[in-house]
Amino acid sequence: MRSRDGNHTFSLSICAIILFHSLALSASEYLISYRYVVKDALLYNQEFEISHSMHRCKGFSSNTLILESDNSKDLKKIIARNNEKFINYIQKIGLKVQHYASTINFQNTSTTIITLKTTCFKVDFNDNFVRISALK
């Protein structure tokens, strides 16, 4: 016959592992990139990409942004509703700005490209808000 004591410690250790992993995984990690192109003072192109991270991102949390979520779990919609707050937040993280200007036959043309390179963010969803932290 099998001893119940051996099964008890094994099942207790499995439950502890599941509990600690669920607590550690409560905050998801997302990869976010952003590119905004203005040509001759008109919006030419805007790309905003969000995807789940396939592996754990290394680094520590830096600045934190808190946005209202209204019980939604769709990060792209939450950021779209709070677009200005998010743009101000990523400006603090660091954007790459490129500007090109030229004049040909007295015609001025200019192009400005604002880019946030693909950055890993830790995102924690709660009932009424979302906490977003960039990992550095």
Side-chain angles (χ1 to χ4, degrees), residues 2-117:
R2 291 182 79 174
S3 169
R4 289 187 179 197
D5 294 330
N7 291 339
H8 177 70
T9 57
F10 177 72
S11 62
L12 183 62
S13 64
I14 293 296
C15 290
I17 290 171
I18 291 171
L19 175 69
F20 287 123
H21 281 291
S22 66
L23 291 175
L25 297 176
S26 64
S28 301
E29 292 178 350
Y30 288 85
L31 297 173
I32 298 176
S33 63
Y34 182 73
R35 188 166 191 250
Y36 189 84
V37 179
V38 176
K39 191 169 188 176
D40 296 330
L42 296 172
L43 176 61
Y44 184 72
N45 187 11
Q46 181 177 8
E47 296 176 16
F48 183 64
E49 299 293 328
I50 298 177
S51 65
H52 279 283
S53 177
M54 297 295 280
H55 54 83
R56 305 264 317 145
C57 297
K58 295 179 181 177
F60 56 91
S61 299
S62 60
N63 301 347
T64 300
L65 173 67
I66 297 175
L67 300 175
E68 292 181 22
S69 67
D70 297 329
N71 217 4
S72 175
K73 300 291 183 190
D74 188 2
L75 184 61
K76 196 164 193 172
K77 288 181 181 177
I78 293 169
I79 291 175
R81 280 193 305 243
N82 300 290
N83 191 20
E84 289 182 25
K85 283 184 181 180
F86 186 74
I87 297 299
N88 289 334
Y89 173 68
I90 63 173
Q91 283 178 351
K92 294 176 188 174
I93 294 171
L95 294 173
K96 180 179 177 185
V97 178
Q98 297 172 321
H99 180 75
Y100 306 102
S102 65
T103 303
I104 300 173
N105 293 334
F106 301 107
Q107 295 288 326
N108 295 326
T109 60
S110 66
T111 303
T112 304
I113 302 170
I114 300 170
T115 308
L116 171 69
K117 67 177 186 167

